[in-house]
Amino acid sequence: MGGAFLSVYVDPGVSAHLQPTDPGWVGAWRLGFVFPAAVSTLLSIPFLMFPRLLPDSRLIKEARMEEMARTCKSYYVCGGGGHRLCHQLKSFLTHLWQVFSKSTTAWYSSEVAKEQYDTDD
């Protein structure tokens, strides 16, 4: 969008005796950032009028907490006092396996490694 404002002189209120084809011409490319920022700000005002919490959000949160408490009881199978650490480690390893077992991640990782260590220049 900044390219559209290159035909406007950098100081819009000043009368410059230059043409856009002159080498000394400086276009107002910064206006390409100012106008979208202003439009985004104006469009965000209605979103600021929403309440912080929706009316039924408390009930939904309580139901999710109860469900999580029921399902998480089976995760604490480690002995000793490191229940939370053991659960976090198992959860991390499980999620790590899920990420790297996806074909997209595997292909992308192999391509990055190939490009990184490719010695054919």
Side-chain angles (χ1 to χ4, degrees), residues 29-67:
W29 57 269
R30 292 177 189 94
L31 293 177
F33 294 103
V34 172
F35 285 124
V39 169
S40 298
T41 303
L42 289 175
L43 291 176
S44 68
I45 291 173
F47 288 105
L48 296 174
M49 294 180 187
F50 280 107
R52 182 170 289 198
L53 295 174
L54 294 175
D56 292 336
S57 64
R58 184 179 56 83
L59 300 173
I60 294 171
K61 184 177 180 180
E62 288 175 1
R64 285 184 180 171
M65 293 298 284
E66 289 174 7
E67 180 183 354

